[in-house]
Each structure stands twice: as structure tokens, then as C-alpha cells.
Amino acid sequence: MTEVQLDLRHEAMAFTTGRCFSRPRNLQRPVEILLLVSFALALSLPAQREDADRKRFEDVKAQAEKGDASSQWTLGKFYFEGSVVAKDAAEAVKWFRKAAEQGDEFGQTLLASCYQDGDGVAKNAVEAVKWFRKAAEQGMALAEYFLGDCYYCGDGVAKDYAEAVKWCRKAAEQGNATAEIWLGSRYFTGEGVPKDMAETMKWFRKAAEQGDARAQIILGDCYYKGNGVPKDYVEAYKWGNLASAQGDPTAKQALAWLELQMTAEQIAEGQRLSREFTPRRTPGPEHFALPQDGIEDSGSSESGSGFFITEDGFLMTSEHVVKDAGQVRLVTGAGIVSARVVKVDPANDLALLKAEGRFVPLPVASSRTARLGSAVATVGFPNVGLQGSSPKLAKGEIASLAGARDDPRYFQISVPVQPGNSGGALVDEHGNVVGVVSAKLDAAAGLATSGALPENVNYAVKSSFLLGFLESAPEVSAKLTEPNTQERKFEDVVKSAEQAAALVLVY
């Protein structure tokens, strides 16, 4: 485009050095790994105070000392960052190692990272490879990528392009965007695989369609120059605009230059395509569908939302979020904690989970008190790969007291929800849970049926069905908080919902 736009060859050659998007060589690397793996280990509430931070630290420490692996490496994160306690990389490594030796792939990856960079332990590339391999052999995509990069660079292991491609391909096939870009670059340079421009574009596009800004700017440059695809300024603008919206400074500069070469109509079309872009789902459970035609899942295939209903860690989410899950982890204000599925109700799309620790719960009220037009809101984690992992507020009204085809189990709500909102609490003006966000009307089905695209037609399971579900778990229902009856400020309602919300990660 100009010198401000990335060039395909430049990007591929940068990857050839093994240091373009590969392991960052700085003291923040273990924390960066945590962010990459968990979509934001550093999740915090806006009104966070030092005493709250200290309480979270003490809670995590107590669980770590009892042997909980997730708490052990989360505690290591506290020591590594030095935000609550004095920074102590050696102490961080101690806790990373405890988790790693229990077979926890997060702990193994963090320990490998410290060995790679010499943080809190003597630098040892061979040990780094050892621990990356242990995590990679458990199928952890990020570790697979890092192990592949070690083979590519000859770092701690003999250089072997074929082995590098093997491991990075495993990560790419799990939807790791960095690995997808790396693999596309290998097909461009012909290292470890035959040169193949079609494969290059395939993997760049996969990463771009997931919402990765780096891949989007590369793909935009390809469309601008006609590298591997027909030259198309509108497509170039679309991808550059998406990268720019994520704050990429190079994309912002490139767009300004590109606009000088486009007509107003072309720019408008590029902007329309950007608005209509939806990030591609990475491999995961099948889409959830209600029994009625035309309903699709509103939750991400690899993450969703949830909310605590008891102080001792019982949490609700949607059944389709955790369906067929091998492992579940929750990103909370206290860090990442492991959770287990206690029981599910597939018919009503409900799931009860249990995590160890102390949390802020939401009260659950009967949905019979809800009225048509009642104001409701949800705090959840939509599109974490694109929108980030901070809790997002969405508000609206109860649009109908019945769901699709008058299904009495659901409210129709005008609250705008996105992939990842599934399992979030639908709260009323008192801050009581009156529903669980579950599904949205399929746009294609709505268009086929009515000739028009449905707008903000979403559904939540009524809390009366949630309460009925919890009756079969008396050890939980006995601990539920009494519903609020007093008028509350909307800001206070939102704060309570935010404190109880958790990002649900499924593996």
C-alpha cells in the first residue's frame, strides 16, 4: 500500500526469524502467556481496592496451599506481577512448578516460559522444551505453538522445520491465531512444507476471520496488492478497517492512504462489510439449538458467561456452554479457578458448576414477578477474542413473556446479546436474577420465514425453571440469597451483576 502498510513478504520473513509474533523476550512473558491462554487473567473490577486485591490473594493462596493446581499457578502470577505482594520471580516459579508437577498444562507452560527467559530460575532452553512438550502432549494449543517455535529456532532442541510445522499445525488446527499466521508464513517461505500460496492464504484468512488484527492487516495488504487473491480495494478496506478498530496504528495509517485511492461508494461498501463481519468460531462443541426451528446458540463455542449464586462457589451457566467439556475454568476477580460440572438440565439449557473459593453471589427471584416491558440487563463476556475479556453490560426489556413459538420456558428479550453471552444472568431493576441468557433467533431462518432480518430477538430461560432445577440440589438451594425487594440505583445493580459474573472457559 505504502511503506506504512505491512508487506506479505516482510511478514513471512519476519516469521522466518522466529521472532515476529513468537515468544516475546521480556520479563512480562509469563503474564502474556496467561493472557493468551485464558483471554485475560488480569480481569478486575473497576472499583477494585487494595484490600479487595489482598483478599483475593489470600483466598488464592489458601487454595494453592491445599494443593489446587489452578490456584497454585494463579498465586505464582501474583508473585510474578508484584501487584499485591512484593515481586518475587523465584517464588512465582516455585508455585508454577507445583502446578506443573501435578500435570497442570497452564503451570507447565508458565514454568517452561520462565526457563526460556531465565525469570526466577537459571535460563535453560532444554528444560523449557521439556515442560512445553508436557503441556503440548496434553493438547494445549499455546504450548504446541511454543514447542514448534523451539524446533524452528533450534532453541533447546535440534532445529527441525518438519517437527516445527508438525507442532504448530496442531496448534493452528485448534484455532490458535498466532500458529495459523506462523503456518501460513511457512507455506509462503517453503520451510518444512512445499511453497503453496493457496495454503498461505488459507491460514492467514483463518486467523483474520477469528478477529486477529495482525492477520487482518496482512490479508488487507494481500487484497490491496493482489498477492494470492484478486486485487480488491473494498476487501482491502474491510480487513484494514477491522484491524484499525482494534487499535492497530499501522492499519489506521494504511486506511488513510487507501481512502485516497477509493471512491465514496467503495469506502461505504468496505465499511458495510466491516460492520457485518462476525468472527469465525474456533473448533468446539456443536451449536446449541432449541427444539424449535430457527433458533441458534448465542454462546461462543469455547467460552461463555456464568454467575455465582452462592458464596461458596456454586455457579450457573447454560448447559450448551459446558456440553462435552473435558475441563472447565472460570475467570473471576480472584483469578482463574477450576470448576466441575455438578449437574445439568439439557431440556432447559441449565448447568450447575462448583468452584472452590469465596465469591459474591446474586439472589434469584421467581420470574413470575416479571412483566411485559420490565427493564432487564445482563453482564457477560461476548466475543472475547474480538471485544476483549472485560465484562460487558447490555440492557433492554422483556419483549414477550414467552419464547419462540410461545415456549413458556423462555422470555423474549430486547437485550442485545452476542456469542459468549450465553449463561449470563438476566437481572431485574432490583438486581435479582429473573432469567439465564440462552439463545437468539437465527438471522437466516428469520429472513427465510419473514423476508426480513430479525433484530434483537433473543431469549432467556425463566428463573422459575432455574429454581425448579435447584430444588433437586437442596445443598445449593438452602444457601441461596434472599431476593432484593428495595429500590436500587441502576449503577448498584450493575456492580452486583459484575461482581458475580465469571467468564467460563471450556476445554
Side-chain angles (χ1 to χ4, degrees):
M1 198 171 287
T2 66
E3 66 275 15
V4 303
Q5 176 66 313
L6 294 183
D7 181 84
L8 177 61
R9 182 173 297 278
H10 168 77
E11 285 301 295
M13 293 310 294
F15 262 107
T16 301
T17 69
R19 293 293 174 264
C20 181
F21 300 126
S22 297
R23 303 188 302 273
R25 301 288 183 171
N26 58 60
L27 295 179
Q28 296 303 312
R29 183 167 176 254
V31 177
E32 290 173 359
I33 291 177
L34 290 171
L35 293 172
L36 285 167
V37 174
S38 69
F39 306 115
L41 181 68
L43 176 67
S44 61
L45 302 175
Q48 208 169 41
R49 301 180 304 275
E50 285 189 16
D51 55 343
D53 288 337
R54 170 60 63 173
K55 183 180 184 303
R56 280 192 289 274
F57 169 77
E58 295 296 343
D59 288 344
V60 169
K61 184 177 181 181
Q63 293 304 314
E65 290 174 342
K66 291 179 181 178
D68 181 76
S70 294
S71 297
Q72 287 171 340
W73 64 258
T74 302
L75 181 61
K77 170 256 184 184
F78 277 109
Y79 282 111
F80 191 90
E81 286 185 320
S83 57
V84 179
V85 292
K87 187 169 183 177
D88 189 335
E91 188 70 9
V93 168
K94 164 188 165 182
W95 289 104
F96 292 157
R97 188 184 304 280
K98 285 181 179 290
E101 289 177 345
Q102 289 198 64
D104 185 283
E105 67 272 28
F106 283 68
Q108 290 168 344
T109 305
L110 286 161
L111 183 60
S113 175
C114 289
Y115 272 117
Q116 187 70 58
D117 289 345
D119 294 328
V121 67
K123 185 179 291 190
N124 188 325
V126 174
E127 277 293 298
V129 168
K130 165 188 164 181
W131 290 106
F132 279 140
R133 189 183 303 280
K134 286 180 180 291
E137 288 175 346
Q138 294 192 64
M140 185 174 181
L142 190 61
E144 290 170 342
Y145 166 69
F146 283 142
L147 180 59
D149 189 52
C150 287
Y151 274 109
Y152 181 81
C153 300
D155 202 0
V157 69
K159 184 178 289 190
D160 187 331
Y161 287 165
E163 196 71 7
V165 169
K166 165 190 161 182
W167 285 106
C168 286
R169 186 186 300 279
K170 287 178 180 288
E173 289 175 347
Q174 289 199 59
N176 182 283
T178 300
E180 289 170 342
I181 302 172
W182 187 98
L183 189 57
S185 298
R186 299 289 70 74
Y187 276 108
F188 182 76
T189 60
E191 295 168 304
V193 289
K195 285 189 177 183
D196 189 329
M197 197 62 183
E199 283 291 302
T200 293
M201 299 310 301
K202 165 188 165 181
W203 290 106
F204 284 165
R205 186 179 299 279
K206 280 180 177 290
E209 290 177 347
Q210 279 179 228
D212 187 278
R214 301 164 301 178
Q216 288 172 342
I217 196 170
I218 294 172
L219 193 57
D221 186 63
C222 290
Y223 274 109
Y224 176 77
K225 295 174 178 172
N227 282 334
V229 290
K231 184 178 291 189
D232 188 330
Y233 282 6
V234 172
E235 279 291 308
Y237 189 95
K238 165 192 166 182
W239 291 111
N241 197 33
L242 289 168
S244 177
Q246 296 188 61
D248 189 293
T250 304
K252 291 180 184 294
Q253 296 175 55
L255 277 180
W257 172 258
L258 180 57
E259 286 177 350
L260 298 176
Q261 304 173 63
M262 298 174 67
T263 66
E265 291 76 13
Q266 287 177 317
I267 293 173
E269 178 64 8
Q271 291 173 341
R272 182 188 69 80
L273 292 175
S274 299
R275 287 193 302 271
E276 294 179 355
F277 172 76
T278 300
R280 174 178 62 84
R281 295 171 183 267
T282 54
E286 293 298 319
H287 295 308
F288 160 73
L290 292 173
Q292 300 83 9
D293 295 334
I295 300 292
E296 70 171 0
D297 152 42
S298 70
S300 165
S301 62
E302 62 178 11
S303 68
S305 301
F307 58 97
F308 288 101
I309 57 173
T310 69
E311 291 184 350
D312 62 347
F314 281 100
L315 173 137
M316 290 304 305
T317 187
S318 294
E319 185 271 342
H320 74 270
V321 171
V322 297
K323 183 179 180 181
D324 300 325
Q327 188 176 39
V328 179
R329 284 182 171 147
L330 308 175
V331 182
T332 73
I336 296 181
V337 296
S338 295
R340 59 184 174 87
V341 178
V342 176
K343 62 185 308 169
V344 298
D345 179 0
N348 293 312
D349 194 27
L350 297 171
L352 176 67
L353 278 60
K354 179 66 169 71
E356 298 301 321
R358 306 297 295 178
F359 305 94
V360 178
L362 284 174
V364 182
S366 171
S367 52
R368 290 193 297 271
T369 61
R371 297 290 181 266
L372 189 68
S374 294
V376 287
T378 187
V379 173
F381 303 88
N383 288 325
V384 290
L386 180 64
Q387 295 178 243
S389 61
S390 298
K392 305 296 189 299
L393 168 69
K395 57 183 180 178
E397 296 81 31
I398 292 178
S400 175
L401 298 178
R405 297 184 179 177
D406 294 324
D407 190 327
R409 298 172 298 168
Y410 294 86
F411 286 128
Q412 180 181 321
I413 56 176
S414 64
V415 177
V417 299
Q418 306 295 330
N421 275 120
S422 284
L426 186 73
V427 297
D428 63 13
E429 64 272 19
H430 299 297
N432 298 319
V433 176
V434 293
V436 181
V437 176
S438 181
K440 64 189 297 183
L441 186 66
D442 180 79
L447 181 62
T449 302
S450 65
L453 287 171
E455 296 183 8
N456 266 358
V457 182
N458 306 308
Y459 300 96
V461 179
K462 294 178 180 178
S463 58
S464 294
F465 291 88
L466 167 57
L467 289 170
F469 170 61
L470 293 176
E471 285 180 2
S472 62
E475 73 279 13
V476 180
S477 57
K479 301 175 184 177
L480 295 179
T481 304
E482 286 295 318
N484 297 315
T485 57
Q486 301 297 318
E487 293 294 327
R488 301 180 68 195
K489 292 182 179 179
F490 181 69
E491 293 81 359
D492 293 336
V493 170
V494 173
K495 181 178 179 181
S496 296
E498 184 180 37
Q499 290 175 328
L503 171 59
V504 181
L505 303 175
V506 177
Y507 304 91

